[in-house]
């Protein structure tokens, strides 16, 4: 019975594990769609700004400081209000040149630090996502949270595509992480976004942001090699199940790490029920053996012993 119960429990654990992986994949797919939606809306906003005449006017005439530039700013501000009003995940939007801010919306900075300007200018009008970093806001009371920015250089279409400005659309990392918060059901679980170079872009555990995946989680290298899948490994000697999924339209990966004991917790009631049933069977077996020994086995043994005396010629026994 112990062997049979062990097999049943192992099969039940395997079924629960498969069911949990399936449920995690469904939850991860839902989170991936939410992230994809944010990415696509940000890219659409970037393209809308790219073809906006007010951007061209603003970037070409920023040194003149004339009424045309002020008018372009006002019209651009109105269009940004309409486009960003319902998008709480957008932290700020900035148009700059040589680190001088020409226009900004949302959380404002005193000056652009220019760390992405050279890269943007070198690749022309192509856009790219940055790693997570903190902006230096103009208001000192602003929460110094992480942002991930979508960067693009504005090109002057009338002058052979010469760069005339830099666009920055920054996403609030905290808002982004809430799209996959359900993937970490307890404090021991982890969920995060990782870039193609292994840098953690976003995480529910903020201390992980900016760390290299291979250094923070040795044994997670498989995440960077495949589009999606799962595997088991250990983190600080604790067995974990790792499930990962690529985010369509980006080179990001969404990763979930759940301790194996979470699986055991899910099957705890089944294990206790089976253990109780096994204990009852053992107790019943012991009691039945005692009764059987007292009522059947011992009398037969005594009868056999007395019959052996009859065999020896003693007919005086009862």
């Amino acid at each position: 019975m112990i062997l049979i119960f062990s097999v049943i429990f192992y099969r039940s654990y395997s079924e629960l594990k498969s069911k949990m992986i399936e449920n995690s994949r469904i939850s991860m797919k839902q989170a991936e769609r939410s992230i994809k939606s944010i990415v696509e809306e940000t890219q659409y906003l970037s393209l809308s700004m790219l073809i906006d005449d007010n951007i061209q006017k603003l970037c070409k005439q920023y040194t003149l400081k004339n009424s045309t530039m002020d008018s372009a700013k006002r019209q651009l501000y109105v269009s940004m209000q309409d486009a960003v009003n319902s998008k709480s995940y957008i932290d700020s939007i900035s148009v700059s040149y040589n680190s001088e801010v020409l226009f900004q919306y949302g959380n404002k900075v005193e000056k652009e630090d220019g760390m992405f300007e050279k890269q943007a200018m070198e690749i022309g009008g192509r856009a790219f996502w940055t790693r997570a970093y903190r902006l230096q806001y103009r208001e000192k009371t602003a929460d110094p949270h992480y942002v991930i920015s979508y960067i693009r250089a504005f090109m002057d279409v009338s002058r052979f595509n010469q760069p005339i400005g830099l666009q920055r659309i920054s996403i609030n990392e905290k808002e982004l992480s809430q799209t996959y918060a359900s993937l970490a059901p307890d404090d021991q679980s982890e969920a995060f976004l990782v870039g193609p170079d292994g840098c953690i872009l976003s995480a529910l555990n903020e201390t992980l942001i900016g760390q290299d995946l291979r250094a923070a989680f040795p044994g997670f290298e498989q995440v960077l090699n495949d589009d999606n899948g799962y595997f088991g490994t250990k983190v600080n000697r604790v067995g974990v199940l790792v499930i990962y999924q690529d985010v369509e339209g980006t080179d990001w990966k969404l990763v979930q790490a759940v301790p194996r004991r979470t699986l055991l917790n899910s099957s705890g009631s089944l294990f206790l029920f089976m253990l109780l049933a096994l204990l009852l069977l053992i107790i019943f077996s012991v009691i039945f053996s005692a009764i059987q020994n007292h009522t059947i086995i011992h009398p037969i043994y005594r009868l056999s012993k007395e019959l052996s005396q009859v065999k020896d010629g003693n007919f005086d026994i009862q």
Side-chain angles (χ1 to χ4, degrees), residues 138-184:
R138 181 185 298 174
E139 299 292 335
K140 301 303 181 185
T141 56
D143 178 25
H145 50 266
Y146 281 102
V147 297
I148 301 174
S149 296
Y150 193 62
I151 306 291
R152 184 194 299 273
F154 289 118
M155 315 304 288
D156 186 352
V157 293
S158 64
R159 296 173 56 193
F160 304 103
N161 287 329
Q162 289 188 1
I164 56 175
L166 187 72
Q167 172 202 77
R168 172 180 60 79
I169 303 177
S170 296
I171 303 300
N172 189 324
E173 187 278 328
K174 288 183 179 178
E175 293 283 341
L176 183 63
S177 66
Q178 287 307 303
T179 60
Y180 56 85
S182 62
L183 299 182

Side-chain angles (χ1 to χ4, degrees), residues 306-317:
E306 291 173 349
L307 283 175
S308 65
Q309 296 181 38
V310 174
K311 179 182 178 181
D312 293 335
N314 182 4
F315 296 97
D316 295 331
I317 60 171

Side-chain angles (χ1 to χ4, degrees), residues 17 41 58 109 188 194 206 284:
K17 178 182 174 182
E41 288 175 359
L58 186 67
V109 297
Q188 286 72 43
V194 62
E206 194 174 278
F284 174 78

Side-chain angles (χ1 to χ4, degrees), residues 282-302:
I282 292 173
I283 292 171
F284 174 78
S285 299
V286 171
I287 294 173
F288 179 78
S289 297
I291 293 173
Q292 186 185 51
N293 184 67
H294 179 72
T295 59
I296 300 175
I297 296 175
H298 186 67
I300 291 177
Y301 173 75
R302 196 173 65 229

Side-chain angles (χ1 to χ4, degrees), residues 179-214:
T179 60
Y180 56 85
S182 62
L183 299 182
D186 52 44
D187 294 337
Q188 286 72 43
S189 302
E190 298 285 359
F192 51 86
L193 276 172
V194 62
D197 58 353
C199 179
I200 296 176
L201 304 173
S202 171
L204 294 174
N205 180 2
E206 194 174 278
T207 60
L208 295 175
I209 297 175
Q211 294 191 43
D212 186 89
L213 176 69
R214 289 154 290 214

